[in-house]
Every structure is written in C-alpha cells, then in structure tokens.
C-alpha cells in the first residue's frame, strides 16, 4: 500500500470510532520520517460521553485529539491527514504545533465561515493544504482469520 493511502486510511479508520451521529471525523499525524505519531477522532471529552447528550459545541475535534494523543515530543514538520477540512480552531492548533502541511479528504463545509477562516490562516502561515488523491480508492480489511 502507498504510504499516503495508508495514512489517510488510518484517519478514516479512526473516524469509525466516533459516536457523532452525523459526521465522523478522523485525523492522522505523520512525522518527517513517515511515522504515525498521533491519531484521533471527534468525541465528547473523556468521561463525559455517557453523561451528556451528544453536543456539537462540547465535542473535541479529531485534530485536537490527534494532537493530544501524540507520542512524540513535538509535532514540528509533521503532516496531518484529515477526513474533513479543519475548522478555524483546529487550524490554529495545527499552525501553533508547527505542522508543515494539511491533506484532507472532504471539504464539505467549504463555504462555512470556519473553513474560510481556516484557509485564510493556513495561507497567511504558509502552510499548504491539498485534497487527498488516493492511489487505491478502497481498502478491504479482513479481521477474521480463515
Ligand atoms: N475539522 C473538523 C470538523 C468537524 N469536526 C467534528 C465536529 C462535529 O463532531 C462534526 C461535525 O458535525 P456536523 O456539523 O457535520 O453535524 O465533526 C472535527 O472533528 N473536525
Ligand atoms: Zn476543528
């Protein structure tokens, strides 16, 4: 499997863990040695999921969780693979973490103020973003041994 397909597949698989009834988002952070250093998905804060109804305003975004789940000292020069274009709040985190590029699958909220603001900040911070173009369009996982 091509490395980039693997990294986006990791983001897609991570998104499968989200309990968001409407949009499941995954993120996978990769360092300059092409090693995965953090993955995450959108979820309610730890310990809150069973006590509060799902709320968009309280959810921790996939990018935030991937950053907080990092297994390296810092994320400078890393790439982030996301299944949905980052919002303005996540864009700030990505910029401040020193990441070097954003690769996204969906841009379904392209016209929203949050996405427009995120794009403006990435441009000003000179962080390129590009739509993911897969080599393989489908990954089949067999989890049962035969
Ligand atoms: N870059 C993003 C954008 C959104 N999310 C999360 C936040 C919500 O859980 C969901 C969006 O819900 P919708 O407005 O489609 O009902 O996705 C994220 O984690 N990262
Ligand atoms: Zn966000």
């Amino acid at each position: 499997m091509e490395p980039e397909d693997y990294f986006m597949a990791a983001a897609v698989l991570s998104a499968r863990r989200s309990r968001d009834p409407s949009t499941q988002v995954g993120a996978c952070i990769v360092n300059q040695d092409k090693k995965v250093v953090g993955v995450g998905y959108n979820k309610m804060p730890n310990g809150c999921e069973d006590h509060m109804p799902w709320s968009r305003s309280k959810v921790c975004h996939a990018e935030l969780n991937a950053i907080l789940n990092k297994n390296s000292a810092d994320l400078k020069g890393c790439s982030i693979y996301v299944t949905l274009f980052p919002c303005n709040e996540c864009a700030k985190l990505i910029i401040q973490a020193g990441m070097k590029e954003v690769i996204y699958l969906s841009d379904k909220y392209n016209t929203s103020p949050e996405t427009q603001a995120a794009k403006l900040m990435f441009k000003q911070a000179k962080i390129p973003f590009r739509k993911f173009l897969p080599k393989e369009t489908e990954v089949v996982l067999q989890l049962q041994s035969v």
Side-chain angles (χ1 to χ4, degrees), residues 61 63 86-87 90:
H61 285 192
E63 299 89 328
C87 72
C90 292

Side-chain angles (χ1 to χ4, degrees), residues 12-59:
V12 170
L13 200 55
S14 182
R16 297 271 290 267
R17 295 203 61 198
S18 175
R19 289 199 213 168
D20 189 322
S22 111
T23 305
Q24 299 81 43
V25 184
C28 174
I29 302 173
V30 178
N31 71 11
Q32 307 209 61
D33 296 327
K34 302 287 174 207
K35 296 219 166 64
V36 173
V37 292
V39 291
Y41 57 94
N42 52 332
K43 68 184 289 290
M44 294 285 273
N46 293 340
C48 301
E49 276 177 322
D50 296 332
H51 306 286
M52 292 192 288
W54 183 270
S55 159
R56 201 178 294 157
S57 63
K58 296 193 186 80
V59 78

Side-chain angles (χ1 to χ4, degrees), residues 6-18 24-30 36-43 60-70 75 79-86 90 93-94 99 101-105:
Y6 173 80
F7 299 139
M8 189 56 86
V12 170
L13 200 55
S14 182
R16 297 271 290 267
R17 295 203 61 198
S18 175
Q24 299 81 43
V25 184
C28 174
I29 302 173
V30 178
V36 173
V37 292
V39 291
Y41 57 94
N42 52 332
K43 68 184 289 290
C60 298
H61 285 192
E63 299 89 328
L64 169 72
N65 288 320
I67 290 169
L68 294 176
N69 287 340
K70 75 178 189 299
L75 299 174
S79 304
I80 185 164
Y81 292 78
V82 284
T83 62
L84 181 61
F85 199 96
C90 292
L93 297 175
I94 290 166
M99 286 190 234
E101 63 170 340
V102 176
I103 304 101
Y104 63 92
L105 201 55

